[in-house]
Each structure stands twice: as C-alpha cells, then as structure tokens.
Amino acid sequence: MMRQRLLRLLFRLYPASFRRRFETELTEFLGDDRRHARYRRTVFGGARFWWRTLIDLFSTAARLRFRGVLQKGRRKQPRRRGGLMDATWQDIRYAIRNMIRRPGFTAVVLVTLALGIGANAAVYTVVQSVIFSPLPYDNPDELVMVWEHNFTRGRPTNVVSPANYFAWRDNATSFEDIAAVTEYSATLTGEGEPQRIGVVSATAGFFSILRLHASIGRVFHIEDDQPNRTTTVLLTHGFWQRQFGGDRSVVGRSITLNGRPAEIIGVLPAGFHFDLAYSFNATGSQDVWVPQQFESNARTFSGRYLQVTGRLKPGVTMAQAQGEMSALAQRLEQELPDRQTGWGVNIVPLHEQVVGNVETPLLILLGSVGFVLLIACANVANLLLSRATSRQQEIAVRSALGAGRGRVMRQLLTESGLLAVIGGGAGALVAFGAVRLLILLKPENLPRLDEVHVSVPVVLYLLGISVVTGLLFGVAPALRLSRMDLRGALIESGRRGGTARGDLRTRNALVIVEIALSLILLTGAGLMIRSFGKLIEIGVGFDTHNVITGQIQLPRSSYGTDALRIRTFEDIVHRVQILPGVESATAITWLPLAGGGTGTSFSVNDRPKPAAGEFPTADIRWVNQDYFHTMRIPLLAGRAFEDQDTGDAPLRVVVNESLAREFWPGGSAIDKTLTMPWNDDMVATIIGVVADVRDKGPAQEPRSMIYWDHRQFQAFDFMSLAVRATGDPLSLVAPIRGELQQVDPDLPLYNVRTMDSYLDSALAEARFGMIVLGLFAVAAIVLASVGIYGVMAFAVSQQTREMGIMIALGAAARTVTAQVVRRSLVLIGIAVAIGIGGTLAVSRFMRGMLFEVSATDPVTVIAVATLLTAVALAACYVPARRAGRVDPIEALRHE
Amino acid sequence: MPADRSPPGTATLTPVVLQILLALAENNRHGYGIKLEIERLTDGAMSLGSGTLYEAIQRLENSGLVGEAPVPRGESGDSRRRRYYKLTVGGRRALQTELSRLEKVLSHARSKKLIPKTR
C-alpha cells in the first residue's frame, strides 16, 4: 500500500495529460516488473528495482516536461505575464540547467546530501518503528507488566511467584485482567525428526488482555488453563507455515510436545510476537502457545518464574494501579513475613518494558547521525559559497537588469532547494538499502525489529529534513550573493575584493562548526571503542575458545526417575569424552552467557541467621564434575567435584570467589556450611572456591554463585553439553550426535552453538553501537577534512596576490606556507576548544552505554582532539604548499 | 529527437520505437508484454523502464503508428484493466520502410565485407 501511495506521488512528476492517460498502466507495469524481476529475492533487489524505476521516472518526466527547456532555443516559449508560478517554474528550469551544466559539482553535492539524508532517514525509520510507534495492540497504553520488586537485591523487575500472581488476580481492582506468561522450549515429536521449538505458556486471559483473536480457530478459553485438562495449543503463523505449510485443516489435530499430546485449537495472526524480558527459550522463535495450567500444589510463594502482564481498566492511571498494588504487597508482607519481606510490586508500561533498554542508544544514534547531516550541510554550503564567488558576475548582471534582491534570493534558494529535494530522493534509496541491511545484521536485543518499515511519518521526516537541509546550506550563500556590492562586482569583473573577505568569515565559521561536531562524534566513537576494549579485556572468566555446546532434554515419560536421568547424563558425557578430537567434556544445567538460570536464598551457618527478607541470595547451577576443568575456570581453593561426590555422600558445594569474599573476606570458605531453605532445609559443605564467571556477559558484575554436582541433586530433565575440542569444535557435532543416537535415538541435540558465538552475542550490543558510531565518526572526519581543505584552498586562491607580493619582497616560501598553516591552526584550535566543550556537555547521555569508561574520559578526549587536529592539518597541507609556491610574476600580472 | 517529429516513414526510427513496432508486429500486446517481448528479441540487451516505454507509446499513438486494440477474449481479472496495443496500417508501413532501409544498409555493409563472420 505504501508503495502504491509513493508511486502515485511520484507520478505527479509527469505532466497531467500523460498521467491521466497512462497512470493505471504504469502502476500495473511496475507491479509486474517488481514481481517478475529475477533479483527480487536478493538483498538489494528492492533497492535496485526502485533505483531503476526512479531513474527512469525522473529522466522521462524531465524529458516530457522540459523538452522545450533543455533544447535551448529550439522552440520558442510563448511569452506570458510573469506570475508567481511562472517565476517559480522559471527558477526551477534555470536551476536544472545550472545543475546539468556543472555535473561534477552537482554530483558531489548530491552524493553528500544523499548519504547524509539517507543515513538520517534510515536511523529515523528504526527509531520511529521501535520507539515512537505504539505497540500493535488495541489501546496499547493500557497494557502493563506487573513485576515483583526485589528490594534486597535491588531488582525492580523480578519474576513473580505463582502465589503472588493469584493473590494479585483475586484482589487487585485496577486491572481488567492480568495473565501470567513464561517462555521456554520443548521437544516436538511425531512430526518428522524430533525438534526443539519455542513455547510460550500463558494463562487463559492473556489474549483477551491483548484483544487478540486467532486468525483461524480460537484462542484460549477460560477452561483451557484449568489443571488436569488435555492441553490445547495455538500455533504462531510462522510455525504454522513452516511446519504445516499453512494447511487450514490442522485445527483439531494433535501434536506431541515433550511426550504429551496437545490439541491444536487455532492459529495466531501473522507477525504476532510477544517480547518477554526473561526467557528460557533457547530456540529464538516463538512457535506455539500453550495454556499455563497450575496444579494446586504449584501455587507456591517460593519459586518465582512468571511474567505478569495486564490491562488497566479504562481511566485507571499508572499511579493509582501502583498505589493499589503496593498496598496489596504490604498486606501480603504482614500476612507472610517469612516469604514476602523485602518484596514489593512494580508496574511498568508495556511499551517502556519492550523498548526501555534501547531507547537511549537509539536516540544517541539519531543525534549522531543528525550531526553528520549538519556537517554535510556545512560542506555543501561551503561548496555553494565557492560557486557563488564564481557567479558574482552573473548575479550582478541579473540585478543590473532589474532583478530585485528578493528575486535573486528566491532563485538561489530554489537552486539549493532543488538540490536538497533530489538529494532527499536519492537519500530515500540509501535509506531503503540501509534499513534492509540493518534488518539483515539483526542486532540482538533490538526489540520490534520485525516491525521496522518505512511508514508515512518516515516519509514526512525525510521530506522535512530535505527542506530544512536545503535552507540550512542555501541561506548563507544566498544572503552573501544577494547582498553583494553590485557596482563593485561589475567593475572588478571577477577580481577578488571585499566580498571575498566576508565570504571567508562565513566559511571559517562553517569549518569551525564542522570540526567541532566531528570532534563530538569522534569522541563518542572513541568512548565506545575504549569501552569495548575494556569488555574484551575483562572477559567472562572462562575460556570460550574451541568449545561446542548443545542441549539435551530427557522426556520425563521415558526417564521417570532421578537416578535414571543422572545415569543417562553421565553416560552421555563419558561417551563424548572419549571421542577423538575431544579434549574434555562436561555438562551444566544453564550455560554461562546463554541466559536462563535459577537462584536460591541461603544462610551461612557460622553467622547469625538473618531476619526474614534479608537472606542473601545466590545463583545456582548443577554441573558435571569436569565442569571447571573443561571450561578452564581456575580453582582458587579446596578441590573441585570428584568421583566420590555422589548422591550417597553428604551434600557438597563449590562456590565462586564473590560469595567467598563476601562472607569470609581474608579467610577461608573451605569446610564452612550453607543452609538453603528449600522444602527441607538443605545443609551443604563448601569444598572449593572457583574464580568468578561473568554469567550474563562481561558488562555484568558477577554475582554469588553456588555449584552443585548434579549427581547429588537432580531436579532437572535437561542439561547442556559443553565439549572442548583439540581442533575445530564444529567438527565434533556429528560424532556427538552419533553418540547420542546410541544412547537413545529419540534424543535430539538442539541449540548447537560454540561458546565463542555466545560471547559474540553477549558483545553484540556494544559492538553494534561501536560500529555504527564509528562509521558516523569516519564520515564526519572525512567531510570535515574536505571542508577545511576547501576553505584553506579558497583562502590561498583569494590571496594569491598578497602572497605574490610577499614573495616578491623577499619572503621565503617557508614563511608563506607557515602563515597558511598558522591560520589553519587558529581555526582548528578554536574548533577543537568548542568541540571539547560540546563533548563535555553531551557525552553524559552516553553514560549508560559505557563500561568502565567515564563519559568525559580525558584520554579519549585528548587522543581524539590530537587525531582530529592532525587530520585537519594534513588537509591544509596541499593549499599551504601551494601558497609557498606562488609565482610572484604570475600572481602580479593580473594587476 | 528529430525522428519523432518527422512524418512517419520518411526518417530512421529510434531504436526504442523500432523495437516496439517489432514487438507488436505479430501480436497485440499490453505495455508489460511489449517490454518482455523486447527483452526476448534483444536477449535482454534492451530493457525498458515504464516511463520510457509509455513516453514512446504516447508518441507512437499521437503519430498514428500504434493504436489501441481490444482486450483479447479469455483474458480476465487484472489483464482486463490493461490497454492492449496494435500496429496500425501506417505503423506497419513505417516498420517495413525502416526494415527495408536497414536491409539496404546491411547488404551494402555485407558487400564491403564489413560484417564479421559469425560462427
């Protein structure tokens, strides 16, 4: 639809008669062309289609409209009284002729503008789709997430326990309804190869909260989430297409999830995806939705894992809802001080929840790319100014023939406006390509990526910045020229006089702006690079190289007992360990960097028992005994797990350095005991201390961690293999799968990834910001160098005469060169000073994106200022040399 | 564009016009059909954009070389909305004139052995 509208707009370029006659056909033609085009499946297919179409459209429209204009004198224009429209047409034709007459100049300006405007439009497209546009649900402002607020650990968006969810649902009056959601993955069998699919489970009210209907069949009814019912399942549109080829008759059929049958009741609309803050779904896609059923014994206060979303009643404000829920939390705390002390409720608008994390970085990108456009404008203004100088005479003649100042200004602004509009058109193409590319790069952690598209606000924005750009770079030269001393210009006939000096002042100011803006951008990029360097330097606390990982899930239907599951996992690890090419192999419940995990509160037995709500907490992982060895996590004290630490032995744990340091600073943690208040209090002895692992990526401070040998407590039916290879880890995938088949042909190894790729993903956000800002900074510095080169070259050419005299009077070439360099240095110095001031003012917005680097890091600022000065000076070198080589005779001959 | 304003038949045709006339010589076609036929005839060497094509069609219609043809029977749906074009008598004559002119040029060139032998 967008395309149709855009086309109709573009067709306006054609003369009305042509448009009336052929519009329908043109539309049909282009539709066919787009469908037929053999390249349409490639990355730039769309962009290429548009490129060809627009070129064709512009050139034929120009031919049809300006046939007379372009063939100068061939046909006589009928003379009419010069109305406003006529004058405008005249201006436009004149501008087009001017542009064609100087193709090189026009090309440089247009490319600069296209890149500047295109990059802006691309970033704005993303910002608009991700941040500004409302979520694609009915009355999205009423939608919220409801979290538990963990005051002890300072986590305002903690997952929710089932009992709290029910307490809220039954007591809160601010909501139309609330629903509990979790996301995980499950094994689908009976449909070809067993495969791992992404599952979201939600209580029955979920879809009516979003006011979402199934595109086929129905969504959940209230009975669907009652315990002990046969499970129903909803397919997402993508999964329905992929797995069932879009077969509408699947509704009513049954699929097998984790060994249990589930009846397909409907298919969800295309494009529906619910971003959740926490997910145990490692497949990366949401494939099916199942009802979240709670057995009566599952409605516990401990074990927080739900994410709760709700819709406020119309007219209820966030503050009212928050007030009610806080009061409710306090009531619960009084009733159950053991469980609820230190816990509150926190309501977050759904929109903020989805985009909150990326809002600042995206706005910083938008600001940076705006800077690039400003620099581009300054450059184009400079180019136009140098053009203006050579056009003085032409303008003077026009003025002498009776063109008023306003008329001349309008003519000049029409020229710059036309440049901007064509630049904007080309910029739109750049934007199309850039957005496509961006979606391909798929930056992780960028929500709503599938919603990114060119929309009406984007087109308006594009139009807006084109016009503003045209004014920005057009006004200075236009003012300059229209204010010119007419008589002087005519008499001097091209000799440079007082106007040039004024010119130079304007140009100096433009260059100062350019360099100052570049400095700010460059500092931003520099800070990101330093920050990224720190992330790499600090690492994650284990060796990610040459490690291949994959998950295994034992269906409870065939692996019913703990003992059987333990034996099977051990068997698999042992089989893999002796494969050729394997250095060592192990298993863990939740891999570091992969997301997911669980924690526990605990108490230290040689300390007084803390009050309710003040128990310390730690993350907890169950591992195979070779875990630390395989991952190369250094053992700092005591010992790792060994053969004897089986289920029959007393409970033993290994803790990380953070935990040991917190409770036994300077002392030894070995042989101390911890109590974990589970169903029965579990007491475990610490046998070893290992180095910290940055489980959530290098940017996250490590937290207390407790490791258990999985043979001592096996509550889980899944584990991840981690295998360190002697060579290429990917070459081990097939042999590992082979061993797994030997154990049980129905076991898939899913989510196979190298540990390095997990690290890559953990660094993706920082890297993405660094690369994009870096690109902008490079663009800025190139543009600024061109700018200062232009200004110095201009200055030198304006003063050839003075320099000739200096040299004639005996000044050394070196002196003349030095003079130019000195002047450049003054310019650069002023610009750098302003730039540093600007940096200090704006870089604080970057604080949240930086890791262990201050936003005003002096090292970065000084390095960047030095670099920029050096580059700018280098750009002045050629004009400075030329100044030194001025031939006095040549220079003075014009006298 | 001297060819366009001269009376039909007296001057050389532009390559685009020649190809359009050729494409319509056997069958009536709609715009996109003409484009496809030209791509087939020229092995893809000439690929017309929408504007270029209809600009030429407008000129050909105005000068009476090409006219609108009835939509062929059996076409339905989208195709019914399209206009089909046919060669007029004048168009056919212009094409023949141009082709025989080219023929002369070619035989002249051949007699001078200017045309490289193709395998």
Side-chain angles (χ1 to χ4, degrees):
Chain A
M1 277 306 93
M2 183 60 224
R3 190 165 49 88
Q4 300 277 341
R5 241 180 297 162
L6 188 67
L7 280 177
R8 213 167 309 139
L9 211 68
L10 286 169
F11 287 157
R12 310 225 102 189
L13 291 171
Y14 287 129
S17 59
F18 186 79
R19 198 168 65 231
R20 266 198 302 279
R21 192 154 156 196
F22 293 114
E23 179 157 358
T24 329
E25 285 181 79
L26 285 166
T27 315
E28 294 281 337
F29 183 105
L30 289 175
D32 281 344
D33 200 21
R34 198 147 172 276
R35 275 190 293 279
H36 272 89
R38 55 187 171 286
Y39 44 72
R40 78 192 142 127
R41 289 230 165 261
T42 66
V43 188
F44 294 110
R48 248 171 80 188
F49 164 79
W50 281 104
W51 174 248
R52 287 193 344 177
T53 302
L54 289 180
I55 292 282
D56 174 69
L57 201 140
F58 284 136
S59 58
T60 46
R63 269 209 303 275
L64 286 164
R65 271 199 190 271
F66 304 116
R67 202 173 279 167
V69 188
L70 294 180
Q71 303 168 324
K72 273 167 282 177
R74 190 174 282 267
R75 223 200 301 175
K76 271 200 192 115
Q77 291 287 326
R79 266 216 96 69
R80 273 171 295 171
R81 258 182 51 77
L84 182 68
M85 279 319 286
D86 271 0
T88 307
W89 266 124
Q90 219 175 38
D91 284 348
I92 292 179
R93 286 189 207 138
Y94 189 72
I96 291 179
R97 255 201 322 252
N98 247 325
M99 283 167 61
I100 293 174
R101 209 182 302 146
R102 295 182 182 77
F105 171 83
T106 309
V108 170
V109 170
L110 286 185
V111 167
T112 310
L113 288 178
L115 289 179
I117 294 176
N120 263 276
V123 174
Y124 183 77
T125 303
V126 174
V127 169
Q128 153 72 28
S129 310
V130 174
I131 299 182
F132 295 149
S133 69
L135 294 171
Y137 308 115
D138 203 20
N139 288 345
D141 292 344
E142 295 170 356
L143 295 171
V144 295
M145 294 298 292
V146 193
W147 300 103
E148 289 202 53
H149 193 147
N150 183 343
F151 293 112
T152 326
R153 288 189 102 171
R155 287 165 60 165
T157 57
N158 203 93
V159 274
V160 178
S161 70
N164 268 322
Y165 161 69
F166 283 107
W168 297 346
R169 196 191 66 179
D170 298 340
N171 294 303
T173 58
S174 299
F175 303 97
E176 269 185 25
D177 195 6
I178 61 175
V181 191
T182 55
E183 184 174 357
Y184 50 92
S185 41
T187 308
L188 173 75
T189 47
E191 308 280 339
E193 293 273 293
Q195 57 173 313
R196 240 5 229 185
I197 61 172
V199 181
V200 194
S201 92
T203 48
F206 178 81
F207 291 101
S208 58
I209 289 174
L210 293 190
R211 306 213 174 121
L212 197 78
H213 304 283
S215 62
I216 305 172
R218 62 169 179 94
V219 293
F220 300 133
H221 284 164
I222 199 74
E223 313 84 60
D224 284 312
D225 68 3
Q226 299 309 306
N228 306 320
R229 277 183 54 99
T230 26
T231 313
T232 48
V233 59
L234 280 163
L235 310 182
T236 59
H237 187 269
F239 181 72
W240 174 57
Q241 291 289 339
R242 202 170 66 242
Q243 188 70 34
F244 298 102
D247 176 6
R248 300 179 70 90
S249 69
V250 289
V251 174
R253 274 177 52 186
S254 185
I255 56 173
T256 309
L257 280 178
N258 280 354
R260 294 205 189 114
E263 184 199 339
I264 300 173
I265 56 166
V267 177
L268 292 166
F272 170 69
H273 179 99
F274 192 76
D275 278 303
L276 285 162
Y278 304 93
S279 167
F280 299 109
N281 171 9
T283 66
S285 70
Q286 294 179 343
D287 297 313
V288 300
W289 285 68
V290 298
Q292 171 79 43
Q293 302 172 333
F294 292 100
E295 312 292 331
S296 49
N297 63 1
R299 305 187 174 200
T300 55
F301 278 96
S302 60
R304 294 178 160 86
Y305 60 94
L306 298 171
Q307 301 176 64
V308 175
T309 184
R311 183 182 283 275
L312 297 175
K313 281 182 183 155
V316 175
T317 64
M318 285 291 302
Q320 286 165 347
Q322 180 64 56
E324 188 201 2
M325 293 309 284
S326 295
L328 183 57
Q330 272 168 19
R331 227 165 60 220
L332 284 170
E333 184 173 332
Q334 280 159 15
E335 285 168 22
L336 290 159
D338 281 1
R339 294 292 190 188
Q340 291 298 112
T341 306
W343 293 88
V345 179
N346 179 25
I347 303 184
V348 182
L350 185 60
H351 185 267
E352 183 185 321
Q353 184 74 48
V354 174
V355 307
N357 287 336
V358 296
E359 200 165 354
T360 315
L362 278 184
L363 289 179
I364 286 176
L365 282 191
L366 189 63
S368 318
V369 79
F371 279 12
V372 175
L373 184 62
L374 279 181
I375 297 173
C377 280
N379 250 6
V380 172
N382 255 332
L383 278 172
L384 286 180
L385 272 177
S386 46
R387 260 278 303 287
T389 317
S390 60
R391 284 179 66 182
Q392 279 186 4
Q393 260 199 296
E394 169 205 333
I395 304 285
V397 169
R398 290 181 61 138
S399 306
L401 290 176
R405 192 177 151 198
R407 187 73 187 72
V408 171
M409 278 268 310
R410 214 174 66 204
Q411 149 85 59
L412 292 169
L413 282 182
T414 306
E415 285 182 22
S416 50
L418 196 67
L419 281 174
V421 167
I422 299 179
L429 293 178
V430 173
F432 268 112
V435 168
R436 280 282 178 92
L437 200 71
L438 189 86
I439 292 175
L440 274 194
L441 284 179
K442 240 189 194 170
E444 290 205 23
N445 311 327
L446 186 56
R448 308 181 72 187
L449 197 63
D450 45 342
E451 290 175 44
V452 171
H453 64 289
V454 179
S455 58
V456 174
V458 171
V459 174
L460 288 180
Y461 177 84
L462 194 69
L463 220 64
I465 56 172
S466 301
V467 170
V468 171
T469 309
L471 286 176
L472 271 181
F473 69 70
V475 162
L479 274 177
R480 181 91 253 125
L481 271 179
S482 66
R483 219 189 273 146
M484 179 181 61
D485 168 20
L486 190 80
R487 208 170 52 90
L490 281 174
I491 295 172
E492 286 191 24
S493 75
R495 229 192 64 189
R496 293 88 174 188
T499 43
R501 207 155 281 286
D503 255 10
L504 199 57
R505 251 203 313 277
T506 318
R507 294 162 140 258
N508 286 346
L510 286 172
V511 157
I512 288 175
V513 169
E514 279 186 61
I515 297 182
L517 288 176
S518 309
L519 185 92
I520 296 176
L521 278 182
L522 215 54
T523 311
L527 288 172
M528 295 294 285
I529 292 171
R530 289 260 296 167
S531 163
F532 193 74
K534 294 262 185 193
L535 286 177
I536 300 281
E537 197 180 302
I538 203 138
V540 286
F542 66 97
D543 184 1
T544 56
H545 296 309
N546 288 345
V547 177
I548 184 81
T549 70
Q551 269 177 279
I552 299 165
Q553 170 129 21
L554 304 179
R556 292 211 179 232
S557 46
S558 32
Y559 294 85
T561 67
D562 289 358
L564 181 56
R565 287 197 295 271
I566 293 170
R567 219 169 43 237
T568 313
F569 282 130
E570 285 291 293
D571 182 28
I572 293 169
V573 170
H574 289 149
R575 281 165 173 272
V576 171
Q577 270 171 342
I578 53 174
L579 282 173
V582 170
E583 191 183 296
S584 66
T586 188
I588 182 172
T589 43
W590 292 282
L591 283 168
L593 304 179
T598 191
T600 180
S601 59
F602 65 96
S603 56
V604 172
N605 293 348
D606 61 357
R607 297 267 184 106
K609 197 170 175 175
E614 286 166 16
F615 277 82
T617 54
D619 289 321
I620 187 160
R621 300 287 182 272
W622 286 264
V623 299
N624 161 275
Q625 64 181 51
D626 290 318
Y627 181 71
F628 306 112
H629 164 67
T630 304
M631 299 302 250
R632 298 195 178 146
I633 299 169
L635 182 68
L636 303 178
R639 65 172 178 88
F641 296 118
E642 286 167 6
D643 286 344
Q644 75 265 24
D645 301 317
T646 57
D648 312 327
L651 283 182
R652 290 158 185 161
V653 294
V654 170
V655 299
N656 72 348
E657 197 183 349
S658 288
L659 194 151
R661 201 174 332 112
E662 187 181 344
F663 291 97
W664 300 279
S668 167
I670 306 300
D671 291 336
K672 303 291 193 306
T673 55
L674 305 174
T675 301
M676 280 156 277
W678 294 2
N679 294 341
D680 324 304
D681 279 356
M682 300 185 97
V683 181
T685 309
I686 299 173
I687 56 165
V689 178
V690 292
D692 286 339
V693 164
R694 288 182 180 245
D695 198 53
K696 305 266 181 281
Q700 298 273 335
E701 283 300 314
R703 306 191 304 201
S704 297
M705 175 83 83
I706 301 173
Y707 295 98
W708 282 30
D709 192 313
H710 79 119
R711 292 171 299 171
Q712 292 205 315
F713 181 90
Q714 179 54 38
F716 299 94
D717 48 9
F718 57 85
M719 281 192 104
S720 285
L721 278 181
V723 183
R724 183 173 296 280
T726 51
D728 174 20
L730 287 171
S731 67
L732 291 177
V733 176
I736 293 173
R737 285 216 159 102
E739 289 303 319
L740 214 52
Q741 296 292 303
Q742 300 272 317
V743 175
D744 179 346
D746 271 346
L747 284 184
L749 181 72
Y750 61 93
N751 210 20
V752 176
R753 273 178 82 174
T754 62
M755 214 61 235
D756 273 337
S757 92
Y758 280 114
L759 180 61
D760 263 2
S761 305
L763 292 170
E765 195 178 347
R767 186 187 302 112
F768 182 71
M770 179 180 73
I771 290 177
V772 176
L773 258 187
L775 282 178
F776 292 164
V778 169
I781 200 171
V782 168
L783 287 171
S785 310
V786 171
I788 192 165
Y789 166 81
V791 167
M792 289 335 282
F794 176 77
V796 169
S797 74
Q798 294 293 304
Q799 284 158 3
T800 315
R801 205 153 46 101
E802 285 91 327
M803 290 166 182
I805 294 174
M806 277 176 72
I807 291 172
L809 292 178
R814 218 169 344 110
T815 323
V816 179
T817 305
Q819 201 193 5
V820 176
V821 171
R822 205 158 42 237
R823 187 180 302 156
S824 319
L825 265 180
V826 170
L827 272 189
I828 297 168
I830 296 173
V832 165
I834 295 177
I836 290 178
T839 302
L840 296 183
V842 300
S843 66
R844 64 201 156 89
F845 293 113
M846 289 189 62
R847 215 173 280 152
M849 293 170 77
L850 299 178
F851 175 73
E852 293 206 340
V853 178
S854 144
T856 52
D857 179 43
V859 179
T860 311
V861 173
I862 291 171
V864 163
T866 315
L867 174 72
L868 195 61
T869 308
V871 172
L873 267 183
C876 299
Y877 177 74
V878 176
R881 280 273 301 240
R882 197 186 304 145
R885 289 208 194 126
V886 165
D887 177 358
I889 299 173
E890 187 68 23
L892 295 172
R893 196 160 53 200
H894 295 298
E895 280 304 285
Chain B
M1 285 154 263
D4 313 331
R5 235 169 277 106
S6 324
T10 57
T12 57
L13 303 174
T14 62
V16 172
V17 166
L18 175 63
Q19 292 296 346
I20 294 177
L21 296 183
L22 274 176
L24 291 174
E26 285 185 327
N27 280 314
N28 300 343
R29 295 176 197 280
H30 55 65
Y32 198 72
I34 297 178
K35 172 198 160 77
L36 290 181
E37 178 68 6
I38 292 180
E39 278 173 12
R40 198 180 65 79
L41 289 173
T42 60
D43 286 333
M46 181 182 282
S47 177
L48 298 184
S50 53
T52 314
L53 178 73
Y54 284 104
E55 184 199 0
I57 287 182
Q58 186 187 31
R59 274 190 275 120
L60 287 169
E61 267 196 299
N62 289 347
S63 53
L65 298 185
V66 159
E68 198 176 332
V71 176
R73 242 170 298 146
E75 291 290 342
S76 61
D78 274 357
S79 303
R80 292 203 61 82
R81 289 221 308 272
R82 299 164 199 250
R83 262 190 280 176
Y84 277 71
Y85 296 96
K86 64 172 186 200
L87 224 49
T88 60
V89 180
R92 197 165 291 279
R93 200 177 318 126
L95 179 63
Q96 280 159 359
T97 314
E98 174 71 3
L99 290 179
S100 50
R101 191 186 65 79
L102 286 176
E103 179 66 50
K104 275 186 210 128
V105 173
L106 281 178
S107 60
H108 178 70
R110 216 172 274 127
S111 69
K112 295 260 162 105
K113 301 212 170 11
L114 289 172
I115 299 180
K117 285 270 185 298
T118 46
R119 281 153 293 143

